[in-house]
Amino acid sequence: MAELQEVQITEEKPLLPGQTPEVAKEAELAARILLDQGQTHSVETPYGSVTFTVYGTPKPKRPAILTYHDVGLNYKSCFQPLFQFGDMQEIIQNFVRVHVDAPGMEEGAPVFPLGYQYPSLDQLADMIPCILQYLNFSSIIGIGVGAGAYVLSRYALSHPDTVEGLVLINIDPNAKGWMDWAAHKLTGLTSSISEMILGHLFSQEELSGNSELIQKYRNIITHAPNLANIELYWNSYNNRRDLNFERGGDVTLKCPVMLVVGDQAPHEDAVVECNSKLDPTQTSFLKMADSGGQPQLTQPGKLTEAFKYFLQGMGYMASSCMTRLSRSRTASLTSAASIDGNRSRSRTLSQSSESGTLPSGPPGHTMEVSC
């Protein structure tokens, strides 16, 4: 009799009772598609219902990436070009994402009834704990644009222990003064709501150039079925309170912060002022050339690279490789250093080594980058 051989078969994913391999494969494929498309949820808060979409699955000992969009946009129109960018895929594989839509801004949202009291930006920030409690998430890294950057900053001030880091694009931490309020009222007499919001999102140069991007977003906002809701969000933004940031004071962001603004963007001065009020040892300032008013739409590659280094500085993705762009910058910086090696320099993203780690740099000043 031939000698019998013992063969050990290991089943990595045991089948459910009565489940065939074909059915299991179809179920796994359906689950992957569901994760790729995102799972949309709504939760009731003291200030009304809020909708958010979750992509991916929670990773052990890692925060969620939570985004909050600007006025006139929703999470898709604000962040989709950034999160669909090729180099961003390495990042999002390592984090679960939560994209929050401000009330009434989600796709298919019904128009609020006449006289509806829309939440203030402070109240929008107070909705975030309800989202995290619903998802059982303990901490976040926030990415906000414009009004969304303000909302996340307000949340971080009141819940500092749950925020590991913030990327704030086009943030204006100041309340509108009397002159700003008067100018806003006068503009409202001669311009439509959609044109005022476009002027908030994009520079005058961009609007005059009327590129395909501008045409696309002008069409999105002008023909939005929920334009009345957008106007309510716009009014809340214009009635925001001062965040009262004070360098060295009690009111400041405790977590690492990356401030981002485009060169000649509508909010450039406000972001520069915000940078001057935050803790310089915790703050990075990225001014992006040729990016206009919405860097996450026009320069997703540069912003992805900066975000990757920001995460590495927080201790995540330490083994991530440098992009071609960062390698070319490192080479350029090395050449410049050979000419003037003794010149002192501020910390920049382009000072990173080939290992892709963020340089520690001397403490006590802001990392300021122009790219």
Side-chain angles (χ1 to χ4, degrees):
M1 180 181 295
E3 183 179 356
L4 296 178
Q5 294 182 346
E6 182 178 351
V7 179
Q8 184 176 0
I9 300 176
T10 302
E11 189 174 347
E12 294 182 355
K13 296 181 180 179
L15 299 178
L16 295 175
Q19 188 180 44
T20 65
E22 291 76 15
V23 172
K25 190 171 295 185
E26 290 178 3
E28 183 179 353
L29 179 60
R32 287 180 180 176
I33 293 174
L34 186 61
L35 289 176
D36 290 340
Q37 292 178 341
Q39 302 176 61
T40 301
H41 308 266
S42 292
V43 63
E44 288 297 328
T45 78
Y47 308 104
S49 177
V50 62
T51 299
F52 51 94
T53 304
V54 181
Y55 288 83
T57 55
K59 305 298 187 291
K61 298 181 180 180
R62 292 208 170 188
I65 293 176
L66 186 143
T67 71
Y68 214 113
H69 61 87
D70 203 354
V71 176
L73 308 173
N74 57 31
Y75 91 84
K76 287 185 178 180
S77 57
C78 189
F79 291 108
Q80 205 165 54
L82 176 64
F83 283 94
Q84 289 184 347
F85 188 74
D87 289 341
M88 179 61 83
Q89 305 314 302
E90 181 185 6
I91 296 176
I92 63 178
Q93 288 173 3
N94 289 279
F95 296 89
V96 62
R97 289 176 289 148
V98 182
H99 297 288
V100 181
D101 279 316
M105 304 302 126
E106 67 274 13
E107 289 184 345
V111 176
F112 291 122
L114 191 64
Y116 176 80
Q117 184 63 46
Y118 197 82
S120 67
L121 294 195
D122 290 12
Q123 291 170 335
L124 293 180
D126 289 338
M127 291 180 169
I128 295 177
C130 299
I131 297 173
L132 299 185
Q133 182 179 9
Y134 177 88
L135 295 171
N136 196 28
F137 291 169
S138 58
S139 63
I140 65 167
I141 295 172
I143 306 178
V145 181
Y150 181 102
V151 169
L152 291 180
S153 297
R154 178 64 73 183
Y155 171 74
L157 288 175
S158 57
H159 299 81
D161 294 338
T162 66
V163 182
E164 293 196 21
L166 287 175
V167 177
L168 304 176
I169 304 171
N170 297 337
I171 185 172
D172 188 344
N174 303 315
K176 279 188 174 293
W178 285 105
M179 293 297 292
D180 296 325
W181 181 84
H184 174 71
K185 290 296 182 183
L186 288 173
T187 303
L189 296 175
T190 57
S191 302
S192 65
I193 289 296
S194 57
E195 287 301 319
M196 286 194 291
I197 293 174
L198 284 166
H200 161 79
L201 296 173
F202 300 101
S203 67
Q204 288 303 313
E205 182 179 356
E206 288 177 288
L207 294 174
S208 300
N210 200 31
S211 64
E212 288 186 12
L213 179 72
I214 298 300
Q215 293 177 37
K216 173 184 175 181
Y217 280 84
R218 177 177 278 117
N219 183 64
I220 288 174
I221 296 171
T222 303
H223 298 100
N226 62 336
L227 186 58
N229 295 356
I230 294 174
E231 183 176 359
L232 294 176
Y233 187 20
W234 174 241
N235 291 338
S236 288
Y237 175 70
N238 287 309
N239 290 320
R240 66 190 180 277
R241 295 192 301 144
D242 200 310
L243 287 174
N244 291 315
F245 288 147
E246 182 182 1
R247 178 169 289 185
D250 293 333
V251 182
T252 190
L253 298 173
K254 308 292 186 182
C255 63
V257 178
M258 183 168 71
L259 300 175
V260 183
V261 69
D263 195 18
Q264 304 300 318
H267 307 285
E268 182 179 356
D269 292 342
V271 178
V272 170
E273 182 180 353
C274 181
N275 180 51
S276 70
K277 294 179 178 181
L278 295 178
D279 181 355
T281 66
Q282 291 277 66
T283 308
S284 312
F285 178 36
L286 178 64
K287 184 187 291 185
M288 299 180 64
D290 304 320
S291 64
Q294 299 293 308
Q296 79 283 3
L297 300 180
T298 58
Q299 297 284 359
K302 290 181 180 179
L303 188 54
T304 296
E305 181 185 350
F307 184 44
K308 184 184 295 184
Y309 288 128
F310 181 69
L311 292 171
Q312 289 176 340
M314 295 170 60
Y316 299 111
M317 300 183 62
S319 61
S320 176
C321 297
M322 294 175 69
T323 62
R324 289 189 299 272
L325 180 60
S326 63
R327 283 196 293 270
S328 66
R329 286 186 187 157
T330 303
S332 299
L333 184 61
T334 303
S335 300
S338 64
I339 297 173
D340 187 7
N342 296 322
R343 183 177 56 194
S344 62
R345 297 185 296 266
S346 62
R347 294 166 59 204
T348 66
L349 296 179
S350 56
Q351 285 176 292
S352 300
S353 66
E354 283 293 339
S355 65
T357 58
L358 190 68
S360 58
H365 61 273
T366 300
M367 179 176 72
E368 184 170 350
V369 187
S370 294
C371 58

